[in-house]
Structures are given as C-alpha cells and as structure tokens.
Amino acid sequence: MQLKNKSTYKKFWDEERETRSKEERDQIILSRIQEQLEYVYNELPFYRKHYDAHGFKPSDVQTLDDFTTKVPIITKKMLVADQKENPIFGSYAGNFSEDEIARIHGSSGTSGTPTFYRVSKDDWNRAADVHAMAQWAAGIRPNDIMQIAFPFALFFGGWGVLQGAERIGATAFPTGPMETERQLELLFKIRPTVFSATPSYCLHLAKKGRELGYDMANCSVKRLLVGGEAGGSLPNTKRALEEGWGASVHDCASTSEMYPFQTNVECEAHQGVHVYTDEVYGEIVHRDNTNEKVPNGMRGAIVYTHLWRKSQPMIRFWSGDESYMDDKVCSCGRTYPRLPEGVLGRLDDMLIIRGANIYPSAVENVVRSFNWSGPEFQIIVEKNGELDEITITIECNKRMYEESKLDVWKKEAEAKLKVTLGIRVKVEVVETGILDETIFKAKRVVDKR
C-alpha cells in the first residue's frame, strides 16, 4: 500500500548498523554471545546452576553453531520457579543497586502470580534507541502523532512503544485501552498519523467506528503499528486492517521476557518482519529439539537471546512462538534477516484434533478472507464420545447480515476450512454482537475437553 505524505527524512535511523554485511554482524553477535555467557555464568546463580546441570561451560561456544547446539534453553516456567525460590526478582536478576534501576514491570505467571522484571537505567536507555530504530524502519518520523492504545500498567505493553516515539521525537498520545467510543472520539479530535495497538483491537475499532458513522478508511492515520499477538502479518487480517483503516500495517512482535528491547518490526517495504539479531539474537530451532537449528524457510520455534542486557538477561529463551526465517537482503536496504510472514502463531496454542495440528492463526486467516465476516470469531473444542470436535463461531458483518444467507456462508466457511485445516469442522454464523468484543487481546480458543 502506498503511504500518504511520504516523509523526506533520512532513510535509516542507524545506517551503518542496519546495512552491515552478514559476516560482520555475525562476528559482533558471536562476540556479544561469548561475553554474555561469561557474565551470566560467573555473576548469575540461576545460569551457573542451569549450565552446570547440563555440563556446559561458556568456553564451549566458539561459533554461532556451537551456541545453538550446546547451550540449553530457558523457559517461562523456570523463571517463575526461580523467582518463587529467590524472591522477588530471581537469581538471574543481576547485582544492581536501587539507584541503577529505571523500571520494575511484570507479567502474569501461569498461576496468576506476576513475574517481575527489573530494568537498569543503562538497559532502559539502550532499549529506547532500539525501539526508535524499529519505528523509523516502519516509517514513523518526528512529525508524526502516535496514539498508543496498549496498556500503561504493570505489563510492559505500551511503554516500549512510547519509548521509541519519544526517542524519535514524534508526538506521543498515550491513551491506553479505554471505552471504545471515547477512543474513537479522541482519534478524530486529535487526528494522529500513527495508531498502535493489538491487531484484534484495531479490527474492533474499525468495525465500531463504521457503526458509529466515522469514516475510518479515510481517517488521519497513515500507519498502524501492531503487536502483542499474532495476526499483524497474516495476509487476510492485514488486508482487513489496511482496508478498514486506509493505512499501512507494520507488524511487531516480542515477548515480556525480551522487553523492553524490541526484537523485530516490519519495514516500509513490507517483505516481512526484520529481526534485530545484533540486539536480540533470534534462532529458529526444531520444536522438539531446541539444540537443532532448522534451515532458512523451514518452520520452527523462535528462541531469543539478549546480547546487551545485563539486568535479568534472557539467554536462549523459549518464546513459544512459531515462524521461519529468510536472510536475503530486503529491498529497503536493511540486511537483517526477516520473518517473511511474521510470527505464525504460538506453539502453545496449537490444537491436536483427530491427529491434525490446528493453529488458531490458520483459522483466522480463513475467517478474514470472507467479505461477510465480522471482527470476532471463536474456536470451541469439545469431546464428542471419544472424538475431539471443533466448532468455529463466526460473526457476520453487520452491514451484510441477512438471515437467509447464513446457511450459504456457513457451508462456504466449512468447505474452505476443511481444505485449509485438513479436517471437517462445524461452523456457526451469528449476528455481530453475539461474541464478546475485543478490548485488548483476543481470546479465540475455548477448550472444553
């Protein structure tokens, strides 16, 4: 999609860094990995205990392949357990005095207990520049106004987006999530050029805006900066966002554990999501063997490593996300590798139904392909005797709702989903408003088994 009011600012935030050769960047990455391994092994008891249990020593890593094949991963469950054993921040926190700490944030753990993240001032300051580099790649400039609808609370949420906007010098308008009508009222009053939220919330606002009489497709927003969930790179979801807002869509993806550092972003060339491997090193590994790297183009699990962060660094963190990588140089000139289709979904969300692997993101891509579908859908999994059954409830677009056509659309959806998923599923088409509206992140799967 052609962007409105094309900027005349410089092309790169940091041209030398963003256009380095792969060979030069790999040498920097290896050097940083070796330094980080020495640091965490000698200074952070969590890592020393973990590595000793696996018979690993930092000196074992002499190449990037060594790093993948020899270093054990860490998981969210391990971090939660360590913080419980070593309150409050765990034995991987780092030895920092209170006057060196900029932020304390958190995310909910598996039991609902927050996992706390402590960020040093040096790390927080560095993260701001990485966010700025990512947003600049997405076309955001000092003359932009950015309305940020991510939460501003314990969760890192919108704080990183705000960091980047402020470092660039753009005008930040941090509304956070709020009552829908108020969000739209402020959008058309302030007239931002960038809007940042989850893909599902942006779809929700586009639908509600049209219902309330707002001309969403011709509003002031030129770019949507989306993240927080998979979807921003799914072709049909992306098309629905572009058409609903009349704006260019730029997908970002990260995890609470890797924040406040931005791990990746989609540039203006729209050829995938750039992975900032010299800041947060990303690997695509076999989902069943985390020490086996998969070839470019093959789907696998994403594992991340902080190369510079000293306060609670994550070394080979299992993100639970699935994607694939391509290291061909993007037409934008940036030489970072790319996730051509962004994050495809969470491996943790994958459903195994009658022997088939079903990803909610695959269902979403089909649902968004129908011109009659509304913004909300839900996947319900139940036991029918010995068999698992799926029912997909899809809201019908309010403007197209005709009771006589519901059965036609139901059969269309069932046929297309059967081809895509490889199994038969039941579809129910309902009127808009039946399902709960998405205010932040969508909850698409209800597993009743």
Side-chain angles (χ1 to χ4, degrees):
M1 162 173 290
Q2 187 174 359
L3 301 180
K4 298 174 271 189
N5 302 322
K6 186 72 175 175
S7 171
T8 56
Y9 289 95
K10 65 181 183 179
K11 182 176 179 179
F12 299 98
W13 178 258
D14 185 341
E15 184 170 1
E16 181 184 359
R17 180 178 184 181
E18 295 174 74
T19 61
R20 279 190 181 117
S21 69
K22 181 181 185 302
E23 293 72 23
E24 185 182 359
R25 183 177 290 120
D26 282 352
Q27 283 300 313
I28 293 170
I29 292 168
L30 178 60
S31 175
R32 293 306 310 166
I33 282 173
Q34 290 171 329
E35 182 172 324
Q36 284 288 73
L37 287 171
E38 290 290 345
Y39 166 65
V40 300
Y41 186 78
N42 292 312
E43 302 292 336
L44 308 182
F46 168 82
Y47 282 103
R48 176 179 282 270
K49 180 180 177 182
H50 183 47
Y51 291 165
D52 284 350
H54 285 81
F56 168 76
K57 293 289 188 291
S59 58
D60 294 341
V61 173
Q62 299 299 317
T63 67
L64 290 181
D65 283 342
D66 286 343
F67 182 63
T68 299
T69 59
K70 296 178 180 180
V71 182
I73 63 162
I74 61 172
T75 66
K76 177 68 173 284
K77 286 184 179 179
M78 292 167 62
L79 302 179
V80 171
D82 186 65
Q83 287 198 353
K84 187 176 181 180
E85 212 174 294
N86 303 280
I88 302 174
F89 302 103
S91 63
Y92 57 95
N95 186 23
F96 291 88
S97 61
E98 294 308 315
D99 63 355
E100 294 177 289
I101 299 300
R103 290 291 188 111
I104 295 174
H105 282 274
S107 67
S108 20
T110 52
S111 63
T113 303
T115 303
F116 289 105
Y117 305 108
R118 194 167 64 154
V119 187
S120 73
K121 290 175 181 175
D122 285 345
D123 286 340
W124 189 258
N125 186 56
R126 183 178 180 89
D129 205 55
V130 180
H131 277 280
M133 183 168 67
Q135 292 180 17
W136 196 273
I140 297 167
R141 300 292 183 264
N143 61 351
D144 278 308
I145 300 172
M146 187 188 297
Q147 185 165 338
I148 307 170
F150 281 106
F152 290 92
L154 183 65
F155 172 61
F156 273 114
W159 296 108
V161 182
L162 179 62
Q163 272 185 299
E166 290 179 335
R167 182 59 58 90
I168 282 174
T171 302
F173 182 39
T175 60
M178 59 169 57
E179 192 267 331
T180 301
E181 285 79 0
R182 182 63 171 156
Q183 189 85 258
L184 289 164
E185 177 190 343
L186 291 173
L187 188 147
F188 278 84
K189 182 174 287 186
I190 301 300
R191 296 183 57 78
T193 53
V194 181
F195 190 86
S196 187
T198 63
S200 51
Y201 187 52
C202 290
L203 286 169
H204 166 73
L205 287 175
K207 182 208 68 162
K208 288 298 286 187
R210 289 193 300 268
E211 290 176 6
L212 293 169
Y214 289 107
D215 186 2
M216 295 298 295
N218 291 292
C219 70
S220 60
V221 174
K222 297 181 291 186
R223 292 174 179 83
L224 294 175
L225 189 68
V226 299
E229 61 186 17
S233 290
L234 293 174
N236 291 318
T237 298
K238 191 170 185 177
R239 175 185 53 78
L241 288 167
E242 288 176 341
E243 292 175 357
W245 286 78
S248 176
V249 178
H250 302 270
D251 191 16
C252 301
S254 190
T255 65
S256 296
E257 290 72 26
M258 304 321 294
Y259 255 61
F261 293 92
Q262 180 62 51
T263 55
N264 45 54
V265 74
E266 184 176 8
C267 73
E268 292 183 277
H270 297 288
Q271 293 176 358
V273 172
H274 288 279
V275 185
Y276 291 132
T277 49
D278 57 359
E279 190 69 44
V280 176
Y281 183 53
E283 307 165 74
I284 307 292
V285 300
H286 196 286
R287 56 174 298 161
D288 298 321
N289 181 358
T290 56
N291 292 114
E292 180 184 336
K293 189 173 183 178
V294 301
N296 281 343
M298 183 180 292
R299 290 168 69 137
I302 309 176
V303 172
Y304 290 121
T305 294
H306 283 126
L307 296 184
W308 301 85
R309 181 174 175 173
K310 297 299 183 184
S311 52
Q312 286 179 299
M314 300 290 112
I315 310 298
R316 298 209 78 223
F317 176 78
W318 170 269
S319 70
D321 290 333
E322 183 180 37
S323 191
Y324 66 95
M325 198 173 287
D326 186 348
D327 60 6
K328 294 187 183 74
V329 177
C330 180
S331 64
C332 74
R334 292 173 178 84
T335 54
Y336 286 109
R338 291 167 291 112
L339 309 178
E341 297 183 69
V343 172
L344 299 169
R346 289 193 58 79
L347 291 163
D348 300 342
D349 291 341
M350 186 189 77
L351 301 165
I352 301 177
I353 309 294
R354 303 194 295 278
N357 296 341
I358 307 299
Y359 291 90
S361 56
V363 174
E364 177 173 353
N365 202 39
V366 173
V367 170
R368 303 296 181 212
S369 71
F370 302 128
N371 64 354
W372 49 264
S373 63
E376 305 296 342
F377 72 94
Q378 192 169 68
I379 303 167
I380 300 172
V381 187
E382 299 174 286
K383 276 280 188 188
N384 182 8
E386 296 302 314
L387 294 177
D388 295 327
E389 298 287 352
I390 286 185
T391 300
I392 300 173
T393 303
I394 306 172
E395 283 191 343
C396 174
N397 188 315
K398 183 171 281 190
R399 292 173 299 168
M400 297 184 67
Y401 183 80
E402 292 181 41
E403 198 165 336
S404 62
K405 288 190 175 182
L406 297 188
D407 193 53
V408 175
W409 292 333
K410 164 186 161 71
K411 289 177 181 176
E412 178 189 10
E414 286 179 342
K416 192 164 185 177
L417 284 162
K418 183 178 180 181
V419 170
T420 301
L421 304 179
I423 63 169
R424 177 190 56 78
V425 299
K426 180 183 176 183
V427 170
E428 292 180 357
V429 181
V430 300
E431 191 172 1
T432 294
I434 297 294
L435 298 175
D436 291 338
E437 294 182 336
T438 297
I439 303 304
F440 174 40
K441 285 189 178 185
K443 180 171 174 53
R444 300 296 188 200
V445 180
V446 178
D447 196 335
K448 297 181 177 180
R449 291 175 293 180

